[in-house]
Amino acid sequence: MDDTPQSSRVSSTDQDAHARILRAALTEFTQRGYKGASTRGIAERAGVNEVTLFRHFGSKLDLLRAAVEQALMQMKIPQDLEPYLHGTLEQGLSQFISDYLLQVTAQSDILMLGFSEAFSQPEISDLLREFMWKMRGMIVRYFEAMRERGAIKEGDYPILAHIIMTSLHGAASMRKRTPIEMAQLSDERLTGCLVKTIVDAYARYAPDSPIHDTQLT
Amino acid sequence: MDDTPQSSRVSSTDQDAHARILRAALTEFTQRGYKGASTRGIAERAGVNEVTLFRHFGSKLDLLRAAVEQALMQMKIPQDLEPYLHGTLEQGLSQFISDYLLQVTAQSDILMLGFSEAFSQPEISDLLREFMWKMRGMIVRYFEAMRERGAIKEGDYPILAHIIMTSLHGAASMRKRTPIEMAQLSDERLTGCLVKTIVDAYARYAPDSPIHDTQLT
DNA sequence: TTATAATGCAAGTACATACTTACGCAAGTG
DNA sequence: CACTTGCGTAAGTATGTACTTGCATTATAA
């Protein structure tokens, strides 16, 4: 009698129920998996009655779909390579990778969910794979643009893109899951090492001499 | 009436029930997650009655623990670096990485399970983290040994190890989960690109001239 | 004021599933 | 033979949970 359910509704920044349920669903699904998450739990977390959840989304599976769809929509794939083609190879690559890592970290919930639920929810993993595919294509195109400018050597760009994506994704998910910091796996350190390695391995000219600053663009 | 349960028991290479249940449990847990897997399903897959499962392992959770423990036991971490310190940097690194990839691919079930169930089953993820930690230490020690021999430059070896592990793990899990081959992500291509990148980036001498063949060891 | 839409609440249904109990059968072992 | 050990079979219990239904409540808009 003391605390009315309304209080919790107001406390949740007063978004409409729809959005609150979506957010709650995503975190519950992520933390507990699809099977492990309960509609009751999601409703509680959203500060909403369980019935409202069903009125909005019909079924648990539809809720999952909606949550994933919405989350992937928010995940922006850089459509334009221009910003990353200025300056040194190192500068461009750094910017590119840290931008990507930002996205991955922010949306690591949905990525992890997609990975862990890939087997049981094919449609979800399709969405995810499509995203990964696009992202990979983007990175490959970035490398090709760099090669056309004479900044980097030939290489197995798709695999290189895969390495970049998986190591960033692995770091993001590890940071989410494990209480301890797996060896101070900071964004800066990771991107730094990744960029340095790629630059040292693929830069056409000695990486220490910033030759290409003017040439690029 | 036609096919007695005995037939399936015999067909399963006649291992004792214990081992068959463990194997069945691992794949079921991996494919469906802990919650998603049912003791009934595991028992069926093992060609065993559900009661037998409980008689052997007591509870579903204990079965999970046993399955994970056994799987991690089978996963060998190379204790001796010697074999990888002979020959070129490229040769040693190739061998090291492909050996590791073999392990990861063979045991990707348990790794994936550990990752996806990390949140709900802390003890499982502890086991997994311990393994990853050891493995990372191994790679780092390998790089340090190489540096002491003057074969490679300084670098952020722990992060480098992380990049190697995550990209290999990412590839293994991707291959398991997705029907399509994510861009012909073959072992050879992946290790090749990984090794080439690292060699090009960190070899002390021009990677094309195999100077160090005799010096190493 | 009245109608409509969105929500809460209480209760219930149907079903999957972890786990138990009790009993019977067969094989090996003393 | 008697005894144990391992397993199958049948049946049942308890619980969680997705989803439904019916009704009361509040706020907004006509």
Side-chain angles (χ1 to χ4, degrees), chain B residues 130-147:
Chain B
E130 186 192 339
F131 171 84
M132 300 277 283
W133 190 264
K134 273 193 205 152
M135 195 64 221
R136 210 198 57 160
M138 200 65 200
I139 302 180
V140 169
R141 255 176 287 134
Y142 172 72
F143 281 128
E144 280 167 356
M146 277 303 193
R147 186 198 48 199

Side-chain angles (χ1 to χ4, degrees), chain B:
Chain B
M1 313 295 184
D2 232 349
D3 53 340
T4 89
Q6 276 78 1
S7 69
S8 69
R9 186 174 47 185
V10 173
S11 75
S12 303
T13 65
D14 205 33
Q15 296 177 309
D16 54 342
H18 198 88
R20 288 209 316 273
I21 294 174
L22 274 180
R23 277 195 317 153
L26 194 61
T27 67
E28 282 275 314
F29 281 140
T30 313
Q31 294 187 350
R32 304 219 212 282
Y34 177 70
K35 279 264 184 176
S38 74
T39 53
R40 194 148 57 226
I42 295 172
E44 272 176 27
R45 182 184 289 255
V48 129
N49 193 282
E50 195 181 356
V51 188
T52 310
L53 184 152
F54 285 103
R55 277 197 274 246
H56 273 274
F57 299 97
S59 78
K60 187 185 176 186
L61 186 57
D62 283 332
L63 174 58
L64 173 70
R65 278 195 267 259
V68 169
E69 206 162 332
Q70 187 222 263
L72 278 186
M73 297 269 284
Q74 290 178 356
M75 206 157 173
K76 294 180 285 291
I77 297 181
Q79 294 300 332
D80 192 9
L81 287 173
E82 268 307 310
Y84 307 106
L85 294 176
H86 298 271
T88 339
L89 168 67
E90 187 172 349
Q91 288 168 352
L93 199 55
S94 283
Q95 196 58 47
F96 190 84
I97 286 183
S98 62
D99 280 1
Y100 178 58
L101 184 56
L102 204 70
Q103 288 293 321
V104 163
T105 307
Q107 306 290 338
S108 63
D109 276 5
I110 185 59
L111 287 176
M112 282 159 50
L113 177 61
F115 274 120
S116 58
E117 225 65 32
F119 203 92
S120 51
Q121 309 296 337
E123 11 180 2
I124 302 300
S125 80
D126 286 349
L127 281 177
L128 193 86
R129 193 158 50 235
E130 186 192 339
F131 171 84
M132 300 277 283
W133 190 264
K134 273 193 205 152
M135 195 64 221
R136 210 198 57 160
M138 200 65 200
I139 302 180
V140 169
R141 255 176 287 134
Y142 172 72
F143 281 128
E144 280 167 356
M146 277 303 193
R147 186 198 48 199
E148 279 163 19
R149 279 152 209 262
I152 60 172
K153 304 181 206 166
E154 286 288 343
D156 196 339
Y157 300 146
I159 300 288
L160 210 51
H162 168 264
I163 292 174
I164 293 175
M165 294 174 67
T166 50
S167 55
L168 296 185
H169 175 261
S173 79
M174 209 162 275
R175 217 173 301 139
K176 271 269 163 99
R177 285 184 208 273
T178 73
I180 67 160
E181 278 80 34
M182 178 88 170
Q184 297 82 34
L185 201 58
S186 73
D187 286 3
E188 297 75 27
R189 217 177 137 193
L190 181 60
T191 57
C193 178
L194 207 49
V195 168
K196 178 174 167 27
T197 304
I198 295 177
V199 167
D200 286 358
Y202 291 95
R204 262 216 178 281
Y205 305 88
D208 303 306
S209 56
I211 303 177
H212 260 315
D213 294 27
T214 51
Q215 243 103 336
L216 291 182
T217 295

